[in-house]
């Protein structure tokens, strides 16, 4: 075997297995309220679903108002019945824009994080 053949073999193996490694990360799947949405009234709880199961001890959500103050009512947690879902209770929210920051450690030990906003329209 030539060096070129060996290199081509390893590149082929890497291409086959690389997508599986990427799929193993816990990416945000959807949320309630939805990413970038405007809701007519304040939600009592923020729900986020991920593409993989999470490690509860190292995954969290923070929700803040326009000034950066926390509007969370307690700490976030992974749903014991669905380890792909993380929730946090919210204080009573007036109309405004809120930022959700999340940090997720999937069961395969890969970390992802991100943020998004939603708006409460109010009356």
């Amino acid at each position: 075997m030539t060096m070129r053949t060996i290199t081509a073999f390893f590149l082929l193996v890497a291409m086959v297995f690389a997508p599986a490694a990427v799929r193993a990360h816990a990416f945000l799947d959807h949320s309630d309220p939805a990413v970038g949405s405007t809701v007519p009234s304040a939600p009592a709880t923020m729900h986020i679903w991920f593409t993989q199961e999470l490690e509860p001890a190292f995954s969290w959500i923070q929700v803040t108002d326009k000034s950066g103050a926390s509007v969370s009512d307690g700490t976030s947690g992974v749903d014991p019945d669905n380890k792909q879902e993380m929730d946090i209770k919210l204080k009573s929210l007036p109309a405004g824009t809120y930022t959700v920051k999340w940090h997720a450690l999937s069961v395969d030990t890969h970390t992802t994080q991100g943020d998004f906003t939603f708006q409460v329209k109010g009356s």
Side-chain angles (χ1 to χ4, degrees):
M1 254 193 238
T2 66
M3 187 60 136
R4 178 177 273 173
T5 303
I6 293 170
T7 302
F9 172 76
F10 283 110
L11 286 173
L12 179 63
V13 169
M15 289 172 42
V16 169
F17 290 105
V22 169
R23 285 191 305 260
H25 292 59
F27 293 108
L28 186 145
D29 186 62
H30 64 283
S31 66
D32 182 22
V35 173
S37 67
T38 299
V39 293
S41 59
T45 304
M46 180 78 220
H47 303 274
I48 303 178
W49 289 269
F50 291 87
T51 57
Q52 297 288 321
E53 291 188 357
L54 306 175
E55 286 291 341
F58 302 101
S59 300
W60 49 262
I61 303 171
Q62 293 177 331
V63 183
T64 56
D65 64 13
K66 191 168 81 175
S67 71
S70 175
V71 295
S72 305
D73 189 13
T75 57
S76 61
V78 174
D79 185 329
D81 296 326
N82 179 4
K83 294 192 177 195
Q84 290 182 256
E85 179 183 352
M86 191 160 40
D87 307 312
I88 190 165
K89 293 186 186 240
L90 302 173
K91 297 176 182 174
S92 179
L93 304 179
T97 300
Y98 297 91
T99 300
V100 180
K101 292 183 180 178
W102 56 268
H103 176 93
L105 177 66
S106 63
V107 292
D108 68 356
T109 69
H110 290 108
T111 301
T112 55
Q113 59 190 2
D115 61 80
F116 62 89
T117 60
F118 70 94
Q119 291 184 323
V120 175
K121 188 174 183 179
S123 52

